[in-house]
């Protein structure tokens, strides 16, 4: 029997096959799945904000795309992964609320998705697939046996990337 590893908001974790790792309720947040296919080792980060350098209270490194992805890579390497083998898939980054242009918040979902892509590129980790944007929440599951990233949304068919 395989285990389900749960990742909370502004949290991250790793797991190996045959286990599955999941995070619930991605709205404007991004679920970043990293996978080492040779080890069948997966990692998942639930990031809330694009950039830790823009915040004074940035002690939770899992909250931000820049520091969360770095920490996820560090943990996977510590568990035996090879950075050159890592691949990524992302989901989330929805525009959950209509904001006026002057609100300053802007489309945080799109900014989270872009910051995630920039960080992955800087680390040399290819982004194999994404399901981002639009205006609905998502729950994601990374199956470490296969590397499949399942995306579930209320009223929508299961999407596998």
């Amino acid at each position: 029997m395989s285990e389900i590893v749960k990742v909370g908001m502004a949290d991250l974790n790793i797991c190996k096959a045959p286990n599955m790792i999941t995070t619930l309720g991605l709205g404007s947040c991004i679920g970043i799945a990293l996978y080492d296919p040779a080890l069948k080792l997966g990692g998942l980060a639930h990031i809330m904000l694009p950039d830790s350098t823009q915040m004074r209270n940035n002690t939770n490194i899992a909250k931000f795309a820049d520091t969360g992805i770095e920490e996820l890579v560090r943990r996977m390497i510590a568990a035996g992964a090879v950075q050159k083998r890592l691949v990524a898939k992302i989901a989330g980054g929805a525009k959950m609320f209509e904001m006026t242009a002057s609100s300053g918040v802007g489309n945080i979902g799109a900014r989270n998705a872009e910051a995630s892509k920039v960080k992955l590129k800087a680390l040399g980790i290819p982004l194999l697939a994404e399901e981002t944007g639009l205006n609905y929440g998502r729950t994601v599951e990374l199956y470490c046996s296969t590397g499949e990233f399942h995306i579930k949304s209320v009223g929508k068919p299961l999407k596998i990337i």
Side-chain angles (χ1 to χ4, degrees):
M1 182 65 194
S2 61
E3 278 183 62
I4 298 172
V5 177
K6 290 187 167 64
V7 172
M9 187 180 271
D11 188 17
L12 53 82
N13 210 333
I14 63 172
C15 76
K16 282 191 84 150
N19 299 335
M20 180 264 281
I21 189 166
T22 184
T23 192
L24 314 173
L26 292 169
S28 59
C29 296
I30 294 276
I32 300 159
L34 297 182
Y35 187 64
D36 181 328
L39 281 187
K40 297 193 180 307
L41 176 72
L44 186 63
H46 182 140
I47 65 120
M48 294 173 63
L49 294 168
D51 186 358
S52 65
T53 64
Q54 302 298 309
M55 297 284 165
R56 276 196 296 274
N57 181 12
N58 61 3
T59 53
N60 179 358
I61 56 177
K63 185 186 278 190
F64 305 96
D66 58 345
T67 51
I69 294 171
E70 280 181 2
E71 175 63 11
L72 191 57
V73 169
R74 190 192 69 71
R75 287 198 195 174
M76 289 185 71
I77 289 169
V82 175
Q83 188 164 337
K84 288 197 294 270
R85 285 196 309 243
L86 294 180
V87 292
K89 296 178 182 179
I90 64 172
K95 188 171 187 178
M96 298 303 287
F97 310 101
E98 281 304 318
M99 297 282 185
T100 60
S102 61
S103 73
V105 175
N107 187 348
I108 190 72
R111 289 182 20 231
N112 281 339
E114 183 56 29
S116 299
K117 291 180 205 174
V118 166
K119 189 62 179 182
L120 290 167
K121 186 172 180 135
L123 293 170
I125 299 170
L127 179 62
L128 299 186
E130 68 175 292
E131 221 259 334
T132 59
L134 302 173
N135 62 350
Y136 54 85
R138 297 165 173 94
T139 290
V140 296
E141 301 170 339
L142 175 63
Y143 289 82
C144 293
S145 299
T146 62
E148 285 183 352
F149 199 38
H150 291 208
I151 302 158
K152 299 176 178 178
S153 304
V154 175
K156 309 239 183 278
L158 171 68
K159 184 159 187 183
I160 300 173
I161 60 173

